[in-house]
Amino acid sequence: MLSKYPLSDVEKSFFKESGVEKISTQIPYLMVDNFPKLGLLTACRFLEWAAANPEGVISLPTGKTPEFFIKWTQYLLDNWDSKKGKEIRDQYGLGSVKKPVLKDLTFVQIDEFYPISSSQHNSFYDYVNKFYIQGFGLSKEKAILINSDEIPLAQGKSYQEIFPDLKVDLSLRYREPENELEKLQQESIYLIDQWCGDYEQRIRDLGGIGFFLGGIGPDGHIAFNTRGSHIFSVTRLTETNFETQAVAAGDLGGIEVSANRLVITIGLDTIVYNPEAVAIIIAAGEAKAGIVKDSLETKLSNVFPATVLQKLKNGRFYLTRGAGVKLTDSMDAYYEKGEWTFEKTERAVIELCKKLNKYGHRLKLSDLKADKYCKLIPDLSEETVGQVMKSIETKLAKGLEKETEQTLLHTGPHHDDISLGILPHITNQLYEPTNEAHFSVLTSGFTAVTNSFVIDTLQHTKKLLDEDKIQMVNFEDFFEVGYSLKTDKDVYHYLTNVASENADARKRGLCHRVVRALVIVYDVKNKTQLRETINDVISILRKSYDGEKNPAKIQKLKGMIREFEEELVWAHFGVQVKNVHHLRLGFYTGDIFTEQPDKTRDVEPIVDLFRKVNPTKISLTLDPEGSGPDTHYKVLQATAAAVKKWSEEKDLSDLRIIGYRNVWFKFEPHEANVIVPVSLGDMSVMEDSFANCYLSQVNASFPSYSHNGKFSTVAKRTWVGQLNDIQLLLGKNYFYLHDRAKVRASHGLIFFRDMNVEEFLATARELEKSIEGML
């Protein structure tokens, strides 16, 4: 397939290194091992193009996706003639390329939220200026940018005057205005539409975009051209869909904001207008694998916007192996290359059940022989399906084993990760009196708490102080030592009022804990200072724009709210506050590009926790790279480093590591070796504890793109879906006629991987390769 297309020297080098032998997709792709390497490939190709087109037109992406593209581009430009720089250039097709000068390139901004102030750090205009115009030394004068503050509106007014609630009603394009403000809004919308047309014309007058680089959204959007966008679409003011709003929620401070914000975006036809354009979509991580497959294997379609790249001879996808794992080419290579393992047999048979929608016991040998992958199973026979069924039954039996005399340390990257991942499994452990359980969340999780939630909580706290309903502040020693005592009582009081369905008293319990947090964070010494501090925090948050990075003390306050929520969840089962450990690892900063975990700052606290708790079992999220928030992946790196360090001072041959997944990514049956039945009661406990304890999360300000609502619902659906897959193999009667009540009651299943230290570190080493060779 690639031979049909003109490969650059850089692309030839990376293609050769990839080991990919067959490409059968509609658009060519290149595959690399990991996210940083994807940045290197993209940077090399960009610099190669820029050297050949010093006055060309470029359009580059915003957000987290281009992190390593930006870092590698700057590194190569700074080290073009250094020893390491030359080695990299020689290795990847840039050996004879003269160092490019970027200052004469014309930059075209791909998209922007509307309206949003250009001075906000979460505007794409700010990002472009910081990382590309300044970072790459591009010309500001030549750049074609989207600045909401400068787009002309009716009567020369500002967008704050025309759209006071920052909502733009596009129905005014087609209906009569109902009042004077709507008349101004209608006139302004027409002016914005005119501005968008002029923006498009400016790009076309230059011959179109010469080098386009973009990411791809969960619905397949490129730029803000969401699913269903017209193939011939141009620059426009438009609405987005839920998936796009969910992804943007992190930038804008919550779905409440992103759902009401429109976007200005270049169109699909804008991207491909120049027939010579190099247009590249980059995708990293297994969470993107489904949409990558659809975008690459479907003929030109408005349902999958990225298929528009089929119009270009230089259209490409650059992928990590994770992002390409579902491609037919990758699946063929998985089954056809290398040693055949039983895992492959399991996967092929279960996938065939799903493909044919047939129960395992109804699969015939002829079905297996007719299947592209099952026919490759060695010694294929009538017994093959039975062997797979037996393997799954063994995994279920492991999930039913009673655990005794264990010291359990359950860890998660964020608050609610543990609960959403394996709560029903943990409840089985907690009901055994010989087990001791500890819980640790490794980051403070402050980014998940909205400003409005904190403002509402602080205002209520003030009201309770006025009514003298937070009486602990009246005790003589409260501001010296009392604030740090009786934290278990806060928790117990709160949950008592969950039981009695007293919402007001429950909120009072939260306010009690917030007062303690304020004393700790702001070193409050008396009631007067407490009120002043509350007013100051409210004032700062009211003056902040949604999505703005908070001052460090407010970050800490938000994190302590999340920590209280976590304590509440485990107190459901009698776990004391002292057994819930809050690590607040330092790499978690709320910046666009967070740091990699540091050995001293981030690994040592985890080792200290291991020494203190001395667990016999440790649970952790085992997500592949780029499958959700990168915090998951970085916490995994830090935890693996901590386990390795601990193993150097203690014999860990009996330690078990439980790798689980939750709402961001899930195990397939062949990847897990333990399956735990989940009853309707288990689901209710998880949903109730989530709704009652994770108060800052109930409104789902930062939802999964797969569901507009609480994460607990996403977790439940995952468990139900996993049961459906296994029922298709084993048959429903296996469950409702089983001799164990726990299996008969199951209406969902949890998958996880139980490993010894050696197996875990081997898995972690595979994952760790993703940061090798980084700058």
Side-chain angles (χ1 to χ4, degrees), residues 242 420 662-663 666 678 683 686-687 704-725 747-749:
F242 170 72
L420 294 169
N662 53 37
V663 297
K666 64 189 185 76
V678 180
M683 293 180 196
M686 191 267 295
E687 290 243 73
S704 161
Y705 58 78
S706 65
H707 172 63
N708 189 3
K710 300 194 303 287
F711 278 127
S712 53
T713 307
V714 182
K716 189 172 81 168
R717 288 179 179 176
T718 299
W719 298 345
V720 170
Q722 289 174 170
L723 173 70
N724 290 342
D725 287 352
H747 291 278
L749 296 174

Side-chain angles (χ1 to χ4, degrees), residues 739-755:
D739 59 353
R740 293 282 295 270
K742 184 75 180 167
V743 179
R744 293 197 300 275
S746 60
H747 291 278
L749 296 174
I750 288 172
F751 298 162
F752 63 80
R753 194 184 298 168
D754 183 335
M755 300 164 281

Side-chain angles (χ1 to χ4, degrees), residues 94-113:
L94 288 172
S96 59
V97 173
K98 189 180 173 188
K99 181 179 176 179
V101 176
L102 306 185
K103 68 179 179 63
D104 294 321
L105 294 171
T106 297
F107 185 94
V108 172
Q109 187 174 334
I110 293 175
D111 48 22
E112 181 60 280
F113 302 112

Side-chain angles (χ1 to χ4, degrees), residues 250-269:
D251 294 319
L252 292 176
I255 191 76
E256 304 89 342
V257 183
S258 60
N260 292 308
R261 201 63 57 93
L262 300 189
V263 294
I264 292 174
T265 180
I266 63 173
L268 295 175
D269 201 50

Side-chain angles (χ1 to χ4, degrees), residues 294-361:
D294 290 335
S295 299
L296 282 177
E297 296 185 357
T298 305
K299 289 196 171 170
L300 196 62
S301 164
N302 66 334
V303 179
F304 301 111
T307 57
V308 75
L309 264 61
Q310 292 174 30
K311 292 184 172 188
L312 296 173
K313 63 183 178 184
N314 290 313
R316 302 279 188 276
F317 268 59
Y318 290 173
L319 310 170
T320 64
R321 293 201 182 275
V325 76
K326 288 188 178 178
L327 292 174
T328 302
D329 296 335
S330 298
M331 294 296 293
D332 289 351
Y334 168 80
Y335 284 110
E336 292 166 6
K337 284 176 159 185
E339 178 193 358
W340 187 276
T341 59
F342 188 73
E343 184 184 277
K344 290 184 181 181
T345 300
E346 238 179 20
R347 184 177 184 181
V349 169
I350 292 171
E351 286 301 315
L352 182 61
C353 287
K354 286 156 74 173
K355 206 184 301 177
L356 301 180
N357 197 26
K358 246 184 184 184
Y359 288 113
H361 63 272

Side-chain angles (χ1 to χ4, degrees), residues 401-458:
E401 287 174 6
K402 188 175 183 181
E403 296 168 90
T404 58
E405 298 180 344
Q406 300 293 324
T407 303
L408 308 154
L409 175 58
H410 294 292
T411 73
H414 304 93
H415 307 85
D416 72 24
D417 275 331
I418 307 169
S419 171
L420 294 169
I422 49 172
L423 180 60
H425 175 60
I426 292 171
T427 56
N428 294 339
Q429 297 171 329
L430 292 175
Y431 291 142
E432 168 51 51
T434 63
N435 292 334
E436 178 187 341
H438 293 257
F439 299 85
S440 181
V441 178
L442 277 67
T443 71
S444 77
F446 60 82
T447 59
V449 182
T450 62
N451 291 350
S452 59
F453 180 85
V454 177
I455 291 169
D456 290 347
T457 303
L458 290 178

Side-chain angles (χ1 to χ4, degrees), residues 48-88:
E48 179 185 41
W49 183 90
N53 301 272
E55 296 184 1
V57 180
I58 63 170
S59 206
L60 305 175
T62 52
K64 292 184 187 293
T65 305
E67 175 180 2
F68 288 103
F69 161 68
I70 291 168
K71 287 179 177 175
W72 273 117
T73 299
Q74 290 172 330
Y75 179 86
L76 288 168
L77 287 172
D78 292 343
N79 294 274
W80 197 262
D81 292 316
S82 72
K83 184 171 181 290
K84 186 174 179 191
K86 283 180 177 175
E87 283 174 8
I88 293 170

